[in-house]
Amino acid sequence: MFNISFSELLFICLIAFLVVGPKDMVKVARFLGRTVRKAQDMMSDIKASVNEASESNGLKDVKDTVDSLKQEVDKLNPINDLKNLNPLNQIKNDIKEELNPISDLKSEIDKIKK
């Protein structure tokens, strides 16, 4: 989340240990743990209320419609249609088909040689 490496975290803990002291370090750690937990609970409550509000306002229907339209556009994909229109692709495919028996023959000859 914060991109803190282990050595940086260790350094921060050492400084906190020196500033706070060994007796109060446990209290500070508990306080930080509780604070982080409360923040996580608040964020989950906010997410839940936003999701609930969006579903009740019909935004889910709009989202579903947009997703289905995206899928339809992806199915159309005009780039593939343009590739099929290129006559060089057809010539290339024809040449590959003509060379297939030759490559098969070559592989058979290689098998006989072995």
Side-chain angles (χ1 to χ4, degrees), residues 19-44:
V19 171
V20 175
K23 290 183 179 179
D24 294 331
M25 192 67 172
V26 175
K27 292 177 185 176
V28 171
R30 282 187 188 142
F31 173 75
L32 288 175
R34 288 179 186 145
T35 305
V36 168
R37 183 67 194 156
K38 285 180 184 178
Q40 288 175 341
D41 289 344
M42 287 174 32
M43 286 303 295
S44 66

Side-chain angles (χ1 to χ4, degrees), residues 5-72:
S5 68
F6 180 73
S7 60
E8 292 170 339
L9 185 62
L10 189 63
F11 182 72
I12 291 170
C13 289
L14 179 66
I15 297 297
F17 182 75
L18 292 174
V19 171
V20 175
K23 290 183 179 179
D24 294 331
M25 192 67 172
V26 175
K27 292 177 185 176
V28 171
R30 282 187 188 142
F31 173 75
L32 288 175
R34 288 179 186 145
T35 305
V36 168
R37 183 67 194 156
K38 285 180 184 178
Q40 288 175 341
D41 289 344
M42 287 174 32
M43 286 303 295
S44 66
D45 289 344
I46 290 171
K47 284 181 185 179
S49 64
V50 167
N51 286 336
E52 185 180 309
S54 68
E55 288 175 4
S56 66
N57 290 334
L59 291 178
K60 184 178 181 188
D61 294 336
V62 173
K63 183 181 177 193
D64 291 341
T65 305
V66 169
D67 288 341
S68 66
L69 287 174
K70 275 184 176 181
Q71 290 175 353
E72 291 298 322

